[in-house]
Amino acid sequence: MQRCGWATDDLLCAYHDTEWGVPLHEDRALFEFLCLEGAQAGLSWRTVLAKRERYREVFHGFDIARVARMNDRELEASLADPGIIRNRLKVSAARDNARAALAAIDAHGSLDAFLWSFVDGEPVRNRWRTPAEVPATTALSDRMSKELRKRGFRFVGSTICYAFMQATGMVNDHLVGCFRHRQV
């Protein structure tokens, strides 16, 4: 079975085969990926995946309203938890992003409607043949990043936004030869 080249171990293969690139429309799950992609900045996605369950515990299942209400003491305590990436800016960004997400939900009805508006509600279906063809950023991710930052989101640079779009199925970047390309 042929997979995208980055799926190199059991954890990454399971993620690749069941989650990556599948269109995601649930606000809580979209918020989780936005936070995790931001936490990944400068690190490997495998590192984040290995810590995802603990992130879910520390950040209340990524319940947006609950994360928005986290106080400084809770955020500070999480910095001592080796089960997450203990970067003060990334940890505090989760709360800021929850607050920005609530504002986006108020303005657009859902986080889903807001985020998927960048691709007009339909996945972009790419037909890359080699990993070298897959971009790190696009005009769409540039636009998403600029708008998210304007609305108060943090750790949402264009590269992070493009990775988020790939992970949540806004773009299908499975290589053409990958068995998942047609499935998603």
Side-chain angles (χ1 to χ4, degrees):
M1 185 177 329
Q2 188 173 351
R3 290 182 174 88
C4 297
W6 57 264
T8 56
D9 64 24
D10 290 345
L11 182 63
L12 291 171
C13 282
Y15 172 68
H16 172 274
D17 293 357
T18 61
E19 292 184 71
W20 192 72
V22 176
L24 189 58
H25 291 282
E26 199 271 316
D27 281 4
R28 187 215 52 80
L30 288 165
F31 176 67
E32 175 179 339
F33 270 99
L34 200 58
C35 290
L36 293 178
E37 291 291 352
Q40 185 263 334
L43 303 169
S44 74
W45 183 242
R46 192 196 188 296
T47 298
V48 175
L49 274 182
K51 295 177 178 282
R52 180 162 63 167
E53 287 308 315
R54 185 64 186 141
Y55 265 96
R56 287 175 174 162
E57 293 168 13
V58 169
F59 290 102
H60 309 288
F62 289 99
D63 177 288
I64 300 169
R66 180 61 189 94
V67 174
R69 291 191 310 269
M70 288 180 75
N71 61 41
D72 291 341
R73 190 176 61 247
E74 285 178 282
L75 293 177
E76 192 65 33
S78 72
L79 291 171
D81 190 327
I84 68 166
I85 295 158
R86 296 176 289 178
N87 175 299
R88 184 176 305 281
L89 295 174
K90 291 177 180 181
V91 167
S92 67
R95 179 178 61 190
D96 294 344
N97 289 350
R99 291 172 177 172
L102 290 176
I105 291 166
D106 285 345
H108 297 274
S110 68
L111 190 57
D112 173 59
F114 170 59
L115 293 171
W116 277 83
S117 71
F118 292 97
V119 292
D120 297 325
E122 291 293 325
V124 174
R125 300 186 193 289
N126 292 316
R127 298 194 48 80
W128 312 123
R129 297 197 178 282
T130 67
E133 294 176 277
V134 181
T137 65
T138 64
L140 281 173
S141 67
D142 292 345
R143 198 173 91 228
M144 177 186 273
S145 173
K146 183 177 179 180
E147 184 63 25
L148 290 177
R149 284 182 289 154
K150 185 172 99 175
R151 291 174 176 268
F153 287 88
R154 295 177 42 218
F155 283 90
V156 289
S158 188
T159 302
I160 290 169
C161 285
Y162 195 69
F164 170 79
M165 294 169 84
Q166 291 172 310
T168 61
M170 291 178 191
V171 295
N172 179 358
D173 273 356
H174 284 282
L175 300 179
V176 171
C178 174
F179 81 99
R180 291 292 285 160
H181 184 268
R182 285 188 182 188
Q183 291 178 355
V184 298

